[in-house]
Amino acid sequence: MLGILRGVIQEVSRASDLQTVLEIIVERVRDAMETEVCSIYLKDEELQRYIFMATRGLNRDAVGKVSMGLDEGLVGYVGERAEPINLEDAQDHPRHRHFTEIGEEPFHAFLGVPIIHHRKILGVLIIQQQQTRRFDESEEAFLITLSAQLAGVIAHAEATGALAFQGRGKPTSARFKGMQGAAGVAMGTVVVTYPEAELHNIPEKKAANIDKEVALFRRAIEKTREDISVIAAKLEDRLQPEELALFDAYLHMLDDSAITGEVVDRIQAGEWAQSSLRKVITVHVDNFEAMEDVYLRERGTDVRDLGNRVLAHLQSVDTRRKKYPKKTILVSTELTPADLAMVPRDRLMGFVSVKGSGKSHVAILAEAMGAPTVMGVEDLPIELLDGAPVIIDGFEGVVITYPKREEKKYYERVAREEAALVEGLVVKADEPCHTKDGHRVRLWVNTGLMTDVARSLDRGAEGVGLYRTETQFMMNDRFPTEEEQRVIYREHLEAFAPRPVTMRTLDIGGDKALSYFPISEENPFLGWRGIRVTLDHPEIFLAQVRAMIRANEGIDSDLRIMLPMVSSTAEIDEAQRLIAQCYREIVEEGVEVEMPDVGVMIEVPAAVFQARDIIKRVDFLSVGSNDLIQYMLAVDRNNAQVAELYQEFHPAVLHALNHVVQVTHDERKAIGICGEMAGNPSAALLLMAMGFDVLSMNSTNLLMVKHALSHFALDQAKNILSKTLEMDNAYLIKNYVDEEMRKAGLGNIVRSRSHN
Ligand code: PEP
Ligand code: MG
């Protein structure tokens, strides 16, 4: 059974359009289950009807012509109940309805299962037989399993539908839903970026010059042949002759009569070498993987490796410089911080990432750059998009490919309104933030790159609540030296002096990787992260802390050091011992500097409950709500699949935040918050009411938050907070706070900036 399942899924995944997908399913399911009929009905959301889309065994002329209401017939019944309906004789059932055109009369046995994707019914898959009998349990289980797996493929094929355009004229506009990465709208031309030497990510493109493309490909094949011969020669005395024969087999595969010939044919037809190679290799891999024989099935992996090897050569012999259109929208399967710097800023309009969510680090960096970004667009057919015109809507998290004129007009209006909103903010950058009744709130910024500095100062940042030092480490190809770090830290301190700058010690792990220090873990967010890594590598920690303290020498700056991902007091004690050691050494070296304040981030539930023990040891606390929420709610901040469960307004989160503020103030110390939550104006209102001394955010949101807070008196905000603390549901809380914002005349800000 598993073999059949795998075969169907593979064949279907390879199909280029929805109708082919459906035809394969009905054909293969009918054969595999040895029934007389297999049909698929898909739900048309606009018409609110089930459409008869594909069949084997019933009248194929009726395909696309017959449809039924959502509450009609047995198909409607399966959809309504969202569970399988297994009937000995369908014609006896009260919900049975006769559709003459389909030709169902001779069939009695009926098994229908819903096709469900992300809680949504996409359609119904049905098998039927003339005989009067109940399908047995294993048949039912098989159909359910198949339908559950096919749902994703069908959803993707539906979404891709309008883009399956090869050879069929101009593609039509299509909408793909993801989630907000960074607010704003942008229009431009897609450039797909992909990790090098990963075949499955290669986008489809036209060959600019067919002869050159063929020559390039042939050079890559020659280099691959050389590699294989060298490896075979090295292994000659270590392998048996039959094992060595495998290398000959690889060389044969690269012959003109096999892979090379097939790829060249595709290039001659106008496609560039890289995606031609991808397609040819995929067919060969699939053929192997569909085989019953385990040994042959595993050869699929060899072919994939061979393909990747050719690709690597293809990419290294291709030295043509990448050109970016004037308005580039960079699209990637998984955007990385290095991708953000790839396109010259004057050509860059925005980003799209198929994976990840709004709280991924890369989205946070994109927001800091002020570049509209959409994350988690899982159904985006990225391989077809290079060069396509698109609109991205970073407010709603939507990507529109090949937009229509009306869509362009609509988004031009949205962009104008957004610009007017920013211009219309009543607050000034150089005035401090205070409520209607004069209560002062400190608004600081989160920084990472030097480019953040000017933007932050322009917007009136009163300090830096979080300097993500790892950004410098991530852009490098080795650990920066103490002196290299000192120079950069000093620039930061000087730029903001005399304002406070909170430097966080290196926070890698989770979704922040260093190419030169790979960490490979099953569960990285619960693994070796933040302070855990640096305490295990005191040489890295000491060099960084020394660089920070030395950077502060002789200037009127205010350095604070902050420790990330702390989950026990022992970690704090150890870190403080190392910091004290650095300070002592530096003073002994004759440098005159002050001992900086040291603080701890509250990012782990354990730290919430131990906030009192923690604050007694240090000078300040700062809540990292991005991580705290993911750990409290057990929702991976990077996973688009569960992004709806990532809720800033979750009652448990609000109570935790309120608690840490109270405990810190009991001890007469200060507490800030530096997660993305502080930059959401509705959430900022609650945070101010809780008593946070500092709200630190992306500079992009600073004026908007200042504007929003200036519309409330402190008591009014406290009232709103105490009502929310009585509520037990995140949606209710969010709606209530948004409504209060609207009442205060902030409807436009809620519309553009309030997310969950
Ligand atoms: C946080 O977790 O809220 C935080 C500010 O740190 P980062 O987003 O860099 O993990
Ligand atoms: Mg964090």
Side-chain angles (χ1 to χ4, degrees):
M1 271 308 184
L2 210 58
I4 298 174
L5 211 66
R6 194 171 38 225
V8 181
I9 304 288
Q10 252 169 19
E11 210 177 321
V12 160
S13 310
R14 219 189 304 146
S16 59
D17 61 70
L18 178 64
Q19 197 57 41
T20 316
V21 165
L22 302 178
E23 296 296 336
I24 295 169
I25 296 174
V26 288
E27 174 100 27
R28 301 278 267 125
V29 172
R30 188 184 64 164
D31 292 351
M33 300 198 65
E34 296 175 0
T35 79
E36 286 146 352
V37 174
C38 178
S39 315
I40 292 181
Y41 296 78
L42 286 192
K43 187 169 169 185
D44 185 314
E45 288 294 342
E46 244 168 67
L47 300 175
Q48 285 292 296
R49 294 182 76 75
Y50 286 111
I51 318 283
F52 183 53
M53 291 295 288
T55 188
R56 289 294 177 276
L58 299 182
N59 180 12
R60 286 171 76 171
D61 290 340
V63 162
K65 296 183 191 131
V66 173
S67 72
M68 54 207 67
L70 298 187
D71 53 358
E72 256 187 299
L74 285 169
V75 170
Y77 192 46
V78 174
E80 262 168 45
R81 295 193 36 165
E83 61 179 353
I85 305 285
N86 189 350
L87 303 171
E88 206 172 296
D89 191 345
Q91 303 190 8
D92 284 350
H93 194 276
R95 286 292 296 264
H96 177 257
R97 238 208 88 187
H98 189 71
F99 292 91
T100 334
E101 309 89 310
I102 295 185
E104 282 179 304
E105 297 78 18
F107 303 102
H108 295 275
F110 172 102
L111 171 59
V113 298
I115 306 168
I116 302 179
H117 182 62
H118 288 313
R119 299 190 189 187
K120 243 176 76 186
I121 308 255
L122 301 182
V124 177
L125 174 64
I126 285 170
I127 53 173
Q128 289 168 286
Q129 251 176 350
Q130 291 200 14
Q131 204 187 358
T132 304
R133 69 143 183 137
R134 242 182 107 79
F135 286 97
D136 68 30
E137 274 191 358
S138 66
E139 289 168 313
E140 194 175 313
F142 178 74
L143 206 61
I144 293 172
T145 315
L146 192 76
S147 160
Q149 289 215 31
L150 288 173
V153 187
I154 292 177
H156 187 73
E158 274 193 326
T160 314
L163 281 172
F165 51 85
Q166 286 100 332
R168 266 186 268 145
K170 204 172 173 300
T172 50
S173 148
R175 247 178 119 79
F176 300 90
K177 184 81 185 91
M179 69 197 72
Q180 184 183 82
V185 299
M187 299 182 198
T189 307
V190 169
V191 171
V192 175
T193 170
Y194 42 89
E196 302 244 305
E198 277 187 28
L199 208 50
H200 62 276
N201 282 317
I202 299 297
E204 190 164 310
K205 285 191 198 184
K206 287 202 177 71
N209 178 328
I210 291 181
D211 291 343
K212 266 196 193 157
E213 205 69 25
V214 171
L216 217 58
F217 177 66
R218 289 205 178 277
R219 264 178 41 221
I221 290 290
E222 270 329 298
K223 286 190 173 279
T224 314
R225 284 181 165 285
E226 284 164 22
D227 282 357
I228 295 174
S229 306
V230 170
I231 299 172
K234 275 193 191 154
L235 294 176
E236 206 165 358
D237 49 355
R238 274 181 267 166
L239 295 181
Q240 299 296 327
E242 60 274 22
E243 288 164 336
L244 280 172
L246 212 54
F247 291 99
D248 284 335
Y250 293 156
L251 290 174
H252 282 313
M253 278 190 216
L254 296 178
D255 281 350
D256 264 2
S257 57
I259 290 175
T260 300
E262 291 168 41
V263 174
V264 170
D265 284 350
R266 282 196 160 271
I267 302 175
Q268 304 281 19
E271 192 169 342
W272 78 321
Q274 298 195 22
S275 62
S276 300
L277 176 69
R278 164 171 63 78
K279 288 182 186 165
V280 169
I281 293 289
T282 308
V283 172
H284 285 273
V285 170
D286 287 352
N287 286 343
F288 274 111
E289 290 187 343
M291 290 182 185
E292 291 293 319
D293 183 292
V294 178
Y295 175 81
L296 286 177
R297 215 161 53 221
E298 282 174 2
R299 300 286 65 76
T301 314
D302 299 346
V303 178
R304 193 179 291 114
D305 290 348
L306 196 62
N308 277 325
R309 198 174 272 273
V310 178
L311 179 71
H313 282 304
L314 200 45
Q315 288 171 338
S316 70
V317 292
D318 186 355
T319 49
R320 294 171 292 189
R321 262 193 70 210
K322 197 150 177 115
K323 290 200 192 93
Y324 294 101
K326 275 205 189 94
K327 295 182 171 188
T328 296
I329 308 267
L330 198 71
V331 177
S332 170
T333 305
E334 191 159 16
L335 213 54
T336 65
D339 294 333
L340 301 188
M342 189 185 280
V343 185
R345 192 65 188 93
D346 58 337
R347 297 194 161 235
L348 176 75
M349 303 309 289
F351 299 108
V352 177
S353 181
V354 172
K355 290 192 185 160
S357 83
K359 297 297 177 294
S360 303
H361 279 97
V362 69
I364 295 173
L365 290 175
E367 179 159 47
M369 287 171 67
T373 300
V374 181
M375 301 288 292
V377 203
E378 298 213 312
D379 284 325
L380 196 70
I382 186 169
E383 65 286 0
L384 301 178
L385 280 187
D386 204 73
V390 285
I391 294 176
I392 63 174
D393 175 351
F395 298 116
E396 298 292 328
V398 168
V399 176
I400 300 172
T401 54
Y402 297 92
K404 297 188 212 131
R405 253 191 46 189
E406 313 85 77
E407 286 166 327
K408 282 191 198 154
K409 281 199 163 151
Y410 171 78
Y411 278 103
E412 277 160 9
R413 207 179 66 228
V414 174
R416 276 198 304 274
E417 281 173 9
E418 171 70 6
L421 169 65
V422 174
E423 270 171 28
L425 299 178
V426 295
V427 285
K428 298 217 166 54
D430 52 5
E431 281 172 8
C433 172
H434 51 74
T435 56
K436 255 167 77 180
D437 54 341
H439 171 71
R440 270 277 275 125
V441 190
R442 280 176 180 74
L443 300 190
W444 294 5
V445 281
N446 299 345
T447 57
L449 306 163
M450 256 336 261
T451 49
D452 292 335
V453 174
R455 285 166 59 88
S456 304
L457 291 170
D458 269 2
R459 287 163 199 205
E462 298 173 82
V464 176
L466 166 64
Y467 171 28
R468 290 188 165 95
T469 58
E470 60 274 9
T471 325
Q472 186 199 359
F473 285 68
M474 287 159 86
M475 301 288 177
N476 244 309
D477 54 9
R478 57 164 174 76
F479 281 108
T481 63
E482 177 183 325
E483 183 54 17
E484 284 166 344
Q485 292 181 63
R486 189 194 66 83
V487 169
I488 298 233
Y489 299 159
R490 189 169 178 90
E491 268 182 87
H492 233 81
L493 287 165
E494 274 177 338
F496 282 94
R499 304 173 187 86
V501 173
T502 315
M503 295 196 176
R504 174 168 75 182
T505 60
L506 185 64
D507 184 23
I508 51 167
D511 67 342
K512 286 182 278 196
L514 300 181
S515 56
Y516 50 90
F517 189 67
I519 301 175
S520 169
E521 292 173 315
E522 285 278 311
N523 210 340
F525 277 114
L526 298 184
W528 207 39
R529 281 198 69 183
I531 191 113
R532 300 170 184 182
V533 177
T534 46
L535 287 184
D536 285 351
H537 277 280
E539 76 286 13
I540 298 174
F541 187 81
L542 289 169
Q544 184 175 39
V545 171
R546 280 182 56 91
M548 289 174 180
I549 298 178
R550 286 181 47 225
N552 206 23
E553 184 192 355
I555 42 174
D556 179 24
S557 49
D558 181 5
L559 165 71
R560 305 172 0 130
I561 295 182
M562 184 159 79
L563 309 172
M565 272 297 293
V566 167
S567 57
S568 76
T569 52
E571 288 166 336
I572 305 170
D573 295 342
E574 178 62 7
Q576 280 186 315
R577 190 182 66 74
L578 294 173
I579 296 171
Q581 177 187 326
C582 288
Y583 180 68
R584 226 179 19 250
E585 283 168 11
I586 293 172
V587 171
E588 279 166 16
E589 287 160 19
V591 179
E592 275 183 39
V593 276
E594 278 186 30
M595 172 72 186
D597 277 357
V598 175
V600 161
M601 291 188 78
I602 304 291
E603 302 189 274
V604 178
V608 170
F609 290 102
Q610 270 204 293
R612 198 178 298 278
D613 301 323
I614 296 175
I615 189 61
K616 281 185 174 156
R617 287 173 156 78
V618 291
D619 303 303
F620 66 92
L621 296 184
S622 180
V623 174
S625 55
N626 303 336
D627 277 313
L628 184 60
I629 295 171
Q630 89 162 336
Y631 294 124
M632 283 196 68
L633 305 183
V635 177
D636 178 346
R637 63 192 266 189
N638 254 342
N639 184 343
Q641 188 102 311
V642 289
E644 275 201 24
L645 298 175
Y646 186 101
Q647 296 167 329
E648 289 174 343
F649 294 92
H650 193 292
V653 171
L654 298 186
H655 283 284
L657 297 178
N658 203 35
H659 166 76
V660 286
V661 174
Q662 285 181 8
V663 168
T664 314
H665 286 171
D666 285 352
E667 298 297 323
R668 305 191 174 285
K669 296 212 177 133
I671 180 163
I673 176 164
C674 59
E676 290 304 289
M677 187 174 180
N680 172 350
S682 300
L685 180 66
L686 299 183
L687 299 171
M688 172 189 76
M690 286 177 194
F692 274 99
D693 303 287
V694 171
L695 305 184
S696 187
M697 63 200 72
N698 247 315
S699 61
T700 313
N701 296 325
L702 197 131
L703 287 180
M704 200 97 48
V705 169
K706 196 192 273 192
H707 174 85
L709 297 184
S710 73
H711 281 66
F712 292 88
L714 183 61
D715 273 352
Q716 200 185 352
K718 284 191 169 164
N719 245 325
I720 296 172
L721 172 68
S722 64
K723 292 222 173 75
T724 61
L725 291 175
E726 305 273 294
M727 297 181 184
D728 62 3
N729 173 314
Y731 294 105
L732 290 182
I733 296 175
K734 180 178 170 341
N735 287 343
Y736 166 67
V737 182
D738 284 351
E739 191 48 38
E740 290 299 319
M741 298 273 288
R742 279 189 206 99
K743 279 194 216 155
L746 297 165
N748 47 359
I749 286 192
V750 170
R751 242 191 338 273
S752 101
R753 284 300 193 284
S754 172
H755 39 87
N756 74 9

